Amino acid sequence: MVAVVPARGGSTGFPGKNLAPFLGRPLLTHAISAGADAKRVSRVLVSTDDEQIGQAAIEAGAELVRRPVELAGPTSRTVDAVLHAVDHCRLPDEAVVVLLQPTTPLRTAADVDECLDLHDGRHTGSVVQVSSSAEHHPWKSCVLVDGRLTPVREWADLEAPRQLLPAVLRPTGGVYVVCAGDLRSQRRFFVPEVLAQQIPPERAVDIDTEDDLRRAEELARTMLS
């Protein structure tokens, strides 16, 4: 099992985000530790275009994969960076790849192990960490098509009591598990049959801003107290 931590240097909304301190250590280091401390992960790779991130990755015990600049722009896809790392290391199709993003620091090594246990023995499909969402139900939304409203699913959903709609789960960004072969052939992390590892909302904070970082630290200290 190989964990890949994607950590490009640029971040428009939060400069230096991947090296931002969280409970005294960079966000990057927490992601590396989650992989290194998982019982079934044998290698942790860090994909980056940034020298400082690369040095921090090496100091934390990870293997460094230097990411090409064309895969490190603001619109670059994470899956392409992970695929580059997988191919760079010549991982076989049957290798199990674990994506660990630095921006979800409340994900744990135990979460990684649980996701790997869910995936165990499968030759295809993926596992995704999710959490419940209290936000607007997606079925109660519309899109504009040629200037006219169209329901995301059905018109009846827009007037249905929320309690009668299925619970909404959102990916946390914390853990994705998929075989290298599926990643190569489908170029995505959501490969049916997708299994879910669910965590409570208070551990599902995704860091996009400095306010998110402060909130995650407050939650972490509460859980540690």
Side-chain angles (χ1 to χ4, degrees):
M1 319 286 186
V2 179
V4 180
V5 181
R8 70 183 185 92
S11 176
T12 304
F14 187 173
K17 176 171 62 177
N18 288 318
L19 291 179
F22 176 80
L23 299 180
R25 293 191 296 155
L27 285 171
L28 173 75
T29 305
H30 288 271
I32 293 171
S33 295
D37 294 344
K39 296 175 183 176
R40 299 173 63 188
V41 172
S42 58
R43 301 170 68 183
V44 180
L45 313 176
V46 171
S47 166
T48 189
D49 61 313
D50 185 89
E51 290 297 328
Q52 281 187 295
I53 291 175
Q55 185 59 40
I58 293 170
E59 291 174 359
E63 299 177 46
L64 178 61
V65 176
R66 298 190 183 279
R67 189 189 308 188
V69 64
E70 61 268 22
L71 299 181
T75 60
S76 298
R77 299 198 313 156
T78 298
V79 66
D80 294 327
V82 174
L83 270 170
H84 170 263
V86 165
D87 289 339
H88 175 83
C89 295
R90 299 181 181 179
L91 299 183
D93 282 350
E94 62 271 18
V96 177
V97 178
V98 184
L99 167 62
L100 302 175
Q101 301 192 97
T103 51
T104 50
L106 299 181
R107 158 253 293 114
T108 67
D111 292 333
V112 177
D113 283 327
E114 185 177 341
C115 288
L116 288 170
D117 288 343
L118 284 169
H119 188 71
D120 197 33
R122 299 198 303 162
H123 299 294
T124 189
S126 57
V127 178
V128 176
Q129 185 183 78
V130 298
S131 181
S132 59
S133 173
E135 298 174 0
H136 184 81
H137 199 288
W139 287 10
K140 286 183 170 288
S141 302
C142 297
V143 294
L144 273 177
V145 179
D146 296 328
R148 297 180 181 180
L149 280 181
T150 301
V152 165
R153 202 181 75 106
E154 296 178 356
W155 286 116
D157 296 331
L158 300 175
E159 300 179 53
R162 184 182 177 90
Q163 293 82 355
L164 297 182
L165 298 178
V168 175
L169 298 172
R170 66 170 183 87
T172 67
V175 187
Y176 298 83
V177 176
V178 65
C179 288
D182 276 342
L183 205 57
R184 288 185 175 111
S185 64
Q186 304 203 38
R187 304 187 76 86
R188 55 194 172 109
F189 296 105
F190 293 86
V191 179
E193 180 182 42
V194 183
L195 302 181
Q197 185 241 0
Q198 189 169 350
I199 64 170
E202 60 267 22
R203 287 209 296 115
V205 179
D206 188 17
I207 309 298
D208 283 323
T209 67
E210 293 185 60
D211 285 342
D212 293 336
L213 184 64
R214 284 192 288 269
R215 183 162 64 95
E217 282 198 315
E218 290 172 3
L219 289 167
R221 291 192 179 97
T222 299
M223 287 184 278
L224 290 171
S225 63

